[in-house]
Amino acid sequence: MRVSRPITLVVHARHLMLLEALAAAFDGDPTMAVVAATTDADLLPDIMEERMPSVCLCDTDTSDPDCASTIGAVTRRAPATAVVVLVDEPSPAFVRELADAGVRGFIRKDANLRNLRTTIDRVCATRAIIGVDALRARPQRVGPPPRAAATAANLEQLTGREHEVLDHILAGEDTRHIAVALQISRSTARTHVQNVRRKLGARTKLQVVALACGTAVHPSVASGSPAWSMQ
């Protein structure tokens, strides 16, 4: 029986406690192997060239003017490595700059480990940019526009409650979390989500996000293939 190779990972965090926590999160996982960890961003390019990992998980600081150049050096030295960055509240310009530098995955620092692992798995499986924050902050057309574009008239059809549900969908929350946040049953939340999709002309939540943000969705995304992770 063929045994798949584990995903190799280089971890960078600016603070030692976060670095140790991230490395420990994958300790004992037979499908993951942390091959290097550092708090020194200047060492990253050399480490990447030496280790050539599947993924580089990199902590970022939006106030750091050298962040994009550091990422660019990493992607140039290890072009086959998928770089995933941890972000707080990135501006559209910051996301665009990092995406242009070669970042393939964006995940919020307040996301849970399950979402972090999902993001890592997806960047290893596709060349798309992963992360709903990237989708919202860096609108780009990657395919023909959907047949049903979300216009002001479409949005005006939504009730007040449906606008609340839309806000939660844009935040990447699933039906269970929407139900808890709005203090309604899951079946009621599911009905509201279905109404939002119908009124915006979307078949999936990802299409809802794309339409509401004025972004086109690639056909593979519309058909249900994972191209962005919903944090």
Side-chain angles (χ1 to χ4, degrees):
M1 182 176 65
R2 182 178 179 181
V3 178
S4 59
R5 299 178 61 185
I7 295 173
T8 53
L9 188 68
V10 165
V11 179
H12 162 260
R14 292 173 296 116
H15 302 293
L16 183 59
M17 184 178 295
L18 176 58
L19 183 73
E20 292 179 343
L22 289 171
F26 301 108
D27 187 32
D29 186 340
T31 65
M32 299 285 292
V34 177
V35 296
T38 182
T39 57
D40 190 342
D42 291 336
L43 296 179
L44 265 182
D46 289 338
I47 292 173
M48 297 298 292
E49 189 171 38
E50 177 184 352
R51 298 291 186 170
M52 289 294 175
S54 311
V55 176
C56 175
L57 181 59
C58 190
D59 185 19
T60 63
D61 179 0
T62 56
S63 65
D64 181 5
D66 297 324
C67 185
S69 62
T70 298
I71 297 295
V74 166
T75 57
R76 285 192 299 273
R77 299 280 284 275
T81 296
V83 177
V84 175
V85 294
L86 300 169
V87 293
D88 277 318
E89 294 292 341
S91 67
F94 185 78
V95 171
R96 183 167 53 251
E97 190 175 22
L98 292 193
D100 289 341
V103 170
R104 294 244 307 280
F106 293 83
I107 186 163
R108 298 178 65 86
K109 293 183 183 181
D110 57 3
N112 59 37
L113 290 175
R114 177 177 58 82
N115 284 330
L116 173 58
R117 178 56 198 264
T118 298
T119 299
I120 290 173
D121 287 340
R122 289 181 176 178
V123 297
C124 291
T126 178
R127 298 299 300 181
I129 296 177
I130 305 298
V132 71
D133 290 317
L135 173 64
R136 295 177 63 189
R138 192 179 184 241
Q140 60 176 339
R141 295 203 175 277
V142 291
R147 292 182 180 178
T151 64
N154 294 120
L155 294 173
E156 287 175 359
Q157 294 179 37
L158 302 182
T159 66
R161 178 62 91 183
E162 288 165 357
H163 273 290
E164 289 181 295
V165 170
L166 175 60
D167 288 339
H168 286 283
I169 293 173
L170 293 177
E173 296 179 5
D174 59 20
T175 304
R176 178 172 62 86
H177 287 94
I178 292 173
V180 172
L182 299 181
Q183 297 184 334
I184 56 179
S185 68
R186 291 183 67 174
S187 61
T188 300
R190 190 177 300 110
T191 297
H192 286 315
V193 171
Q194 290 171 347
N195 288 339
V196 170
R197 291 207 320 257
R198 176 177 55 80
K199 291 179 180 181
L200 296 186
R203 289 186 297 165
T204 67
K205 285 184 183 179
L206 286 174
Q207 278 192 324
V208 168
V209 173
L211 291 168
C213 294
T215 310
V217 179
H218 191 277
S220 65
V221 181
S223 64
S225 300
W228 286 283
S229 62
M230 301 292 290
Q231 314 303 340

